[in-house]
Amino acid sequence: MVQDLTQEILAAVEARFDDQIALTQKLIALPSRRNEEGAAQAFMATELAARGYRVEEVETDTQALRDHPGFSPISEHASQVPSLVATHEPRSAKGRSLILNGHIDVVPEGPAEMWTTPPYDPRLEGDWLYGRGSGDMKAGLIATLAALDALKRLGFQPAARVHVQSVVEEECTGNGALACLVAGYTADAAIIPEPEDDKLVRANLGVLWFEVAISGRPVHVREAGSGVNAIDAAHRVAESLRKIEARWNAEAPEHRYFEDLAHPINFNVGRIEGGDWASTVAAWCKMQCRIAIYPGDDPAARAAEIEAHLRQDLGDDPFLSNSPPTVTWNGFFARGYVLEEGSEAEETLAHAHMRAYRAPLESFTTPGYLDGRVFVIYAGMPCLVYGPLSEAIHGFDERVSLPSLKRVTQTIALFIADWCGLEPVDAEA
């Protein structure tokens, strides 16, 4: 691109950045936890259609996905809300096609009283925008629209097909993005503006979700010694799973891009429930668990390793050896991925980033889940997971940096211009 157009694109994003913030605030104000994304998706559908894009719904169809190697088991809590794909078609496809992907779902906000201000009341303070989903990742999702809007205000549109995807289930299965791929939506490259601190994700861990159910032996608490408390037993199961965590972390030097990370594998008990009565020794307990796996690991093999470990490690437990816990795989069953260096897409992003930030693009390794695995592993396309500086995602007072968000939006707009090419919006121009 000529330098003159670079400056015009940067200025076009700058000029309407307040409007971009306002649109992001409207989206943050719409709660979109799992299976509650309907209002937020309706908002996105309206905004996308208003821009002239063809908007289609993509159902997360279990039957269509079940045999796909990227499928994650769907629990009874899975979202019934469809993902959205909005498509821009050029008059003459001269450039390379692109997917701009983002997830609409957010994680539970926790006790509202522990937030400084209500989680769905988006608050501007200094250089930060607060609210659940602000960083993860509604600001990034709106940034994709703002980047396209900036080009349009200059009289241009992409000279290639562009799909804008607003997907569900990213925080629990990854099946929303997978459903879009299975439905036939592909491109020459993808961008996902997740909260990645102005950097590009080079490698990403896979994730397993599972439920561990423990059965106890209930008795009146006055005879507690003759019963077995399932909640107490659950603590012993969790301690056993920590041994798996330690063992897998010791494998880090064997995995490219994870050699220098001290603790890439994190095991978490995210939810625990059990028992029926304060004066009855607990008859049951369930733990909702998460653990990471390395790129190249087979989820099924790692899952089998966990089950075998529990059988062996708890073999001497006075109760659990005869009443072993039951493991159910109820969410993420996802591989990690590596974004190989040297792609034209990465080179294009690096060039765009340099012009927006006046600094080289950095890459890093992240221990969280990303939908990028869908594109990299199962579509063979480069997926650039790259987004704004954010803090406290999944925590209280989640926030996204506004200066960072503006530069990320500028970078995406420049990338689109370079990668897709541009044509006049007006056919006669």
Side-chain angles (χ1 to χ4, degrees), residues 13-65:
V13 172
E14 173 87 37
R16 299 294 291 273
F17 188 60
D18 286 347
D19 293 341
Q20 179 181 343
I21 295 172
L23 193 64
T24 305
Q25 288 178 287
K26 290 180 180 179
L27 186 57
I28 294 169
L30 298 172
S32 54
R33 296 190 303 183
R34 190 183 197 188
N35 215 15
E36 299 173 1
E37 309 96 335
Q41 286 292 60
F43 175 87
M44 288 298 298
T46 298
E47 290 296 326
L48 291 162
R51 287 161 171 78
Y53 305 132
R54 182 180 75 251
V55 181
E56 298 171 288
E57 294 184 347
V58 179
E59 302 288 342
T60 308
D61 184 350
T62 304
Q63 296 308 313
L65 300 179

Side-chain angles (χ1 to χ4, degrees), residues 228-303:
V228 176
N229 191 308
I231 296 174
D232 290 342
H235 289 290
R236 301 199 294 278
V237 174
E239 290 173 1
S240 179
L241 289 167
R242 289 290 178 197
K243 297 177 183 178
I244 280 275
E245 178 187 42
R247 189 163 76 221
W248 291 1
N249 273 306
E251 298 175 10
E254 304 170 17
H255 296 272
R256 186 164 52 120
Y257 298 114
F258 294 87
E259 304 94 332
D260 298 326
L261 296 187
H263 202 283
I265 302 299
N266 290 306
F267 165 71
N268 184 56
V269 179
R271 184 177 180 184
I272 187 168
E273 55 184 334
D276 300 295
W277 195 251
S279 292
T280 301
V281 169
W284 64 278
C285 183
K286 292 182 179 180
M287 300 189 298
Q288 306 301 327
C289 303
R290 176 266 196 204
I291 197 168
I293 60 177
Y294 293 103
D297 284 352
D298 178 3
R302 286 301 202 184

Side-chain angles (χ1 to χ4, degrees), residues 147-382:
L148 291 164
D149 290 349
L151 297 174
K152 191 171 185 178
R153 286 194 296 274
L154 295 174
F156 295 105
Q157 63 185 16
R161 178 183 294 118
V162 176
H163 296 303
V164 180
Q165 299 181 343
S166 177
V167 303
V168 300
E169 290 275 315
E170 192 275 348
E171 296 286 7
C172 43
T173 64
N175 287 333
L178 183 66
C180 293
L181 177 63
V182 171
Y185 296 101
T186 61
D188 294 316
I191 292 179
I192 305 181
E194 287 270 18
E196 303 298 354
D197 298 354
D198 306 325
K199 299 176 184 177
L200 173 68
V201 174
R202 174 63 60 206
N204 165 242
L205 292 172
V207 170
L208 302 177
W209 266 21
F210 56 102
E211 176 186 272
V212 181
I214 300 102
S215 297
R217 185 183 302 124
V219 296
H220 191 287
V221 70
R222 69 182 183 180
E223 302 163 348
S226 64
V228 176
N229 191 308
I231 296 174
D232 290 342
H235 289 290
R236 301 199 294 278
V237 174
E239 290 173 1
S240 179
L241 289 167
R242 289 290 178 197
K243 297 177 183 178
I244 280 275
E245 178 187 42
R247 189 163 76 221
W248 291 1
N249 273 306
E251 298 175 10
E254 304 170 17
H255 296 272
R256 186 164 52 120
Y257 298 114
F258 294 87
E259 304 94 332
D260 298 326
L261 296 187
H263 202 283
I265 302 299
N266 290 306
F267 165 71
N268 184 56
V269 179
R271 184 177 180 184
I272 187 168
E273 55 184 334
D276 300 295
W277 195 251
S279 292
T280 301
V281 169
W284 64 278
C285 183
K286 292 182 179 180
M287 300 189 298
Q288 306 301 327
C289 303
R290 176 266 196 204
I291 197 168
I293 60 177
Y294 293 103
D297 284 352
D298 178 3
R302 286 301 202 184
E305 186 177 344
I306 288 173
E307 294 182 7
H309 165 82
L310 288 176
R311 286 193 298 271
Q312 180 178 1
D313 194 54
L314 299 174
D316 295 332
D317 186 278
F319 177 75
L320 291 172
S321 59
N322 295 313
S323 183
T326 301
V327 178
T328 303
W329 305 96
N330 64 347
F332 284 124
F333 211 70
R335 291 177 179 267
Y337 74 90
V338 170
L339 177 68
E340 298 295 345
E341 300 179 42
S343 71
E344 291 186 27
E346 182 177 339
E347 181 181 348
T348 302
L349 181 67
H351 186 46
H353 178 92
M354 174 63 81
R355 284 177 285 161
Y357 283 81
R358 300 188 181 278
L361 176 65
E362 298 179 45
S363 64
F364 76 119
T365 298
T366 177
Y369 170 82
L370 293 170
D371 270 345
R373 58 108 190 184
V374 171
F375 303 99
V376 172
I377 300 174
Y378 304 113
M381 73 170 72

